Amino acid sequence: MEMYIVLAVTLFMMIMFIWHKVPFGVTTMTCCIILAAAGIFDVKTAFSGFGNQIVVLIAPMLALSAVLGKTSLVAKISSLMDIMKNKRGILLVLTIYIVGAILAQFIPSTAVLTIMVVFLTTLGNTGDITTKRIILPLLGVLCAWKFRFPIGMGASTFATLNGLYEGIIADPQYALTMLDPFIYAIPSMIVLTIYCLFAWKLMPKEGVVDQSALKQSKKTEILPHNQEMIVYAVFVLVMALMILNKWTGVLLYLAPGIGVLLLIYCGVLKVDEAVKSMTSDMVWMIAGVLVVADALGQSGAGDAIGNLVLDILGAHPGSFTVMLVFSAATVIMTTFISNMATQTVLIPIAASVALAGGWDPRGLVLIIGTANMFAVGFPSGSGEAAVAFAAGGYNPVKVLKFTIPYMILAIVSCAVTAEFMYPLY
């Protein structure tokens, strides 16, 4: 009976993530309450996700990233665009992509796209490089580079991914390291950027950009120079403690919290600002998913899901075939529903399949954790996709000649890299 209750709770979570009628954190907290009320876990265990080391790492990292966005770093990077206003050709396109990719390491892609489109409108509608031809390819670059580098939120990607399956596969040898997501994403970043560098010519040239579709970004007050230097120093310290985890040990998970406390004591970060970031929907969601993943592993529900998918895949499927299936499923799914929903739904399934098959799960987890960002085919895939399609006035059918090859390259590059790094057998 316990297994069926957990399966029902998991199905409820997946449906609610896809429907997205309420915030993800509300859904996962509902799951925790159901698990406690049904007697699957006691109250302490049902809400133990908030004390998990992964949440201890991610919550303060959100606050640190928000403070970094208040420095002049973003403005300085954006100012590079002014230098290129009179340039043309591939150099201009490359510069647009580079600036977008750098900004995407520090601020959400929706904000990056809004900033970049405002600049792109200065290009006008004459010549080969027009705003309408560049917006969607720029989205493709942002999807490829979004929070990939192990700095800021990108530094906590490995912990988020581990949290989604460690309750199903607890063997520490199958846990991802801090650099794994970055190293794994390099081939797809390169392949998709090169594609976008030339494929913008496939986009419709004519058309007026709808600036009213852009989400208005609140003007951020830049910190004073002395406080800005403190932020940089603290950020470097935090990154060093995390990257050198082989020697710093448990400080890997405590480093962001130490950074937040230092900024509060130095008067750079207000307590209410820190609390707001550290209690965001993402924190609630991860804390709840950790508990649901534990329930899947302990109740046998994960094994049931894994065996079901294995039966569908057939006896002894090839490693690359499985990689390709999960890569395609992720890219297709994230085209229509949010990145986070895609990742949160598919990783427990992939881990369950790997457990049932006796496979190394890391390749499948990295595929999903990377390919879930490649939402370029439809406006509902992500906030930045919605902005890009609205601002460019794109008909999803009429831009298939750009989006379909992009998706195919994304699927294949993810599967090939996973097979090379972490084959199933």
Side-chain angles (χ1 to χ4, degrees), residues 135-198:
I135 293 177
L136 197 59
L138 174 60
L139 171 67
V141 172
L142 296 182
C143 290
W145 289 78
K146 179 180 179 181
F147 294 140
R148 298 299 188 200
F149 280 69
I151 54 177
M153 283 306 299
S156 62
T157 298
F158 81 103
T160 302
L161 298 180
N162 283 339
L164 293 174
Y165 74 99
E166 69 174 9
I168 299 170
I169 300 179
D171 192 335
Q173 71 170 321
Y174 291 134
L176 298 173
T177 68
M178 182 178 172
L179 294 178
D180 278 340
F182 169 64
I183 295 171
Y184 170 81
I186 290 175
S188 61
M189 287 192 295
I190 294 173
V191 168
L192 294 175
T193 301
I194 292 174
Y195 171 73
C196 292
L197 192 57
F198 297 99

Side-chain angles (χ1 to χ4, degrees), residues 88-147:
R88 283 293 181 267
I90 195 170
L91 182 59
L92 173 62
V93 177
L94 180 60
T95 303
I96 292 170
Y97 291 168
I98 290 174
V99 173
I102 295 174
L103 289 174
Q105 307 312 310
F106 303 102
I107 58 178
S109 294
T110 305
V112 176
L113 196 63
T114 300
I115 293 169
M116 297 298 291
V117 171
V118 170
F119 166 79
L120 290 175
T121 54
T122 65
L123 297 177
N125 286 319
T126 59
D128 286 335
I129 303 174
T130 64
T131 308
K132 193 175 180 75
R133 297 185 94 176
I134 295 296
I135 293 177
L136 197 59
L138 174 60
L139 171 67
V141 172
L142 296 182
C143 290
W145 289 78
K146 179 180 179 181
F147 294 140

Side-chain angles (χ1 to χ4, degrees), residues 187-345:
S188 61
M189 287 192 295
I190 294 173
V191 168
L192 294 175
T193 301
I194 292 174
Y195 171 73
C196 292
L197 192 57
F198 297 99
W200 59 269
K201 296 179 181 179
L202 298 174
M203 297 296 296
K205 185 176 178 180
E206 298 80 16
V208 178
V209 173
D210 181 10
Q211 292 199 53
S212 67
L214 301 179
K215 293 187 176 181
Q216 297 297 316
S217 298
K218 294 182 179 178
K219 187 173 180 62
T220 302
E221 183 179 347
I222 302 299
L223 293 171
H225 179 71
N226 62 326
Q227 292 189 351
E228 188 174 326
M229 292 301 103
I230 293 173
V231 171
Y232 293 149
V234 168
F235 206 79
V236 169
L237 172 65
V238 170
M239 291 300 105
L241 290 174
M242 294 179 69
I243 292 173
L244 301 176
N245 64 86
K246 181 178 179 181
W247 297 278
T248 57
V250 72
L251 289 180
L252 164 66
Y253 295 97
L254 298 178
I258 293 172
V260 168
L261 289 174
L262 286 174
L263 292 178
I264 291 174
Y265 283 124
C266 291
V268 177
L269 178 62
K270 296 179 180 178
V271 174
D272 57 343
E273 293 176 332
V275 171
K276 182 177 179 181
S277 296
M278 294 171 65
T279 56
S280 66
D281 181 61
M282 181 178 179
V283 175
W284 281 42
M285 187 213 72
I286 294 173
V289 167
L290 289 169
V291 174
V292 175
D294 285 342
L296 280 169
Q298 295 179 27
S299 68
D303 286 333
I305 294 173
N307 287 319
L308 175 63
V309 177
L310 275 181
D311 289 341
I312 296 173
L313 291 172
H316 307 295
S319 177
F320 182 68
T321 300
V322 177
M323 300 290 194
L324 206 56
V325 167
F326 273 94
S327 186
T330 305
V331 171
I332 293 171
M333 188 171 174
T334 199
T335 298
F336 300 101
I337 66 173
S338 76
N339 308 145
M340 189 61 72
T342 299
Q343 174 177 278
T344 310
V345 167

